[in-house]
Amino acid sequence: MTGSLLLVAHGSRDPRHARTVRALARRIRATRPALRVATAFLGFDAPGVPEELARTARDGIRAVVVQPLLLTRAFHAKTDLPGVLRQAPPGLTVLRAPVLGPDPLLTAALERRLYGAGLVRGERASTAVVLAAAGSGDPEAAEGLAALARHWQRTAGWYAVRPAAASAGPRTEDVVRALRAEGARRVAVAPYVLAPGRLPDRIAAGARAAGADVLAPVLGAAPELVRLVLRRYDRAARVPVPTG
């Protein structure tokens, strides 16, 4: 076996979250069997990141690529993750990949989820999309989401793409109603979240309450995510590992 990859997820009290993360890990292993793929969580689920890093070192691994399963650079990416990575055992080189978003593979996955939920491809120009994230009070994360919405609208030809959030920012149901009032013929909600949980459930409830025409599922273990994670791994793994 060559190479080691550690997927680090947020964690959740909802067991569907960990199941989704582990399903993604299985798909990555199936795509690249020679790669050692492990999972860890920043909270709620086990193993924690320090425990998994210690196990990695005990297995004789000298370098590991850590891929945050985070879509934006918010508190978890800026503070929580660096803090736990500093607890890596001596002798283990940690090569940290950037957060997953933004990336064209993510918007490709969002579109495939929308079409799978019933959106018709020929209706793009008359369909408004609500890009619904979990939400963050971090200004960089909020602006990143808004920039992604603007870019997706401009490059994909949607009637409109507007950001929404389950925990901070405009609520999904309010954005759905606003787009309908502006004249959108159809309104589709695309959850910009990796796995099911309390906040994704809030996104879904808001979409249903406001009468959205299409509600896509979460990204989950999408094939586009598998490709994106492996691409990030390959880039990070090119960093030379100390030999001393």
Side-chain angles (χ1 to χ4, degrees):
M1 180 174 291
T2 60
S4 182
L5 169 66
L6 176 58
L7 305 175
V8 177
H10 175 273
S12 171
R13 292 185 177 90
D14 190 317
R16 295 175 296 169
H17 177 90
R19 285 201 298 267
T20 302
V21 170
R22 293 183 175 117
L24 176 61
R26 287 194 297 271
R27 293 195 74 162
I28 294 170
R29 290 189 198 102
T31 303
R32 193 173 295 185
L35 181 63
R36 179 186 188 273
V37 183
T39 57
F41 301 88
L42 293 170
F44 305 110
D45 295 298
V49 178
E51 291 78 13
E52 187 56 41
L53 290 173
R55 186 173 76 88
T56 300
R58 287 196 302 271
D59 288 345
I61 305 297
R62 295 181 56 252
V64 59
V65 172
V66 172
Q67 174 61 65
L69 296 182
L70 304 170
L71 298 174
T72 60
R73 272 184 47 78
F75 183 82
H76 296 298
K78 295 177 179 179
T79 303
D80 287 348
L81 185 58
V84 294
L85 293 183
R86 283 194 288 269
Q87 302 175 46
L92 178 65
T93 299
V94 174
L95 306 170
R96 180 180 166 186
V99 297
L100 293 171
D103 193 276
L105 283 170
L106 289 175
T107 49
L110 290 170
E111 291 192 10
R112 191 169 56 79
R113 291 293 194 224
L114 285 169
Y115 294 132
L119 191 65
V120 178
R121 291 183 180 272
E123 297 176 345
R124 188 184 289 254
S126 57
T127 299
V129 177
V130 180
L131 183 64
S136 171
D138 187 292
E140 182 182 354
E143 175 51 34
L145 184 68
L148 174 60
R150 292 191 296 268
H151 178 76
W152 196 17
Q153 177 179 348
R154 185 173 65 251
T155 58
W158 300 107
Y159 176 88
V161 180
R162 300 282 170 76
S167 64
R171 298 182 304 172
T172 302
E173 52 268 44
D174 294 335
V175 179
V176 170
R177 293 185 180 112
L179 287 167
R180 189 86 71 193
E182 290 175 22
R185 188 175 301 172
R186 280 164 300 278
V187 180
V189 174
Y192 191 54
V193 291
L194 178 69
R198 177 177 59 88
L199 294 179
D201 284 350
R202 190 179 297 174
I203 291 170
R208 288 190 289 266
D213 299 285
V214 174
L215 170 62
V218 299
L219 289 166
E224 295 89 351
L225 269 174
V226 173
R227 291 170 55 198
L228 177 55
V229 169
L230 287 174
R231 182 182 297 174
R232 295 289 173 81
Y233 168 82
D234 289 337
R235 290 175 182 169
R238 295 192 188 106
V239 177
V241 177
T243 57

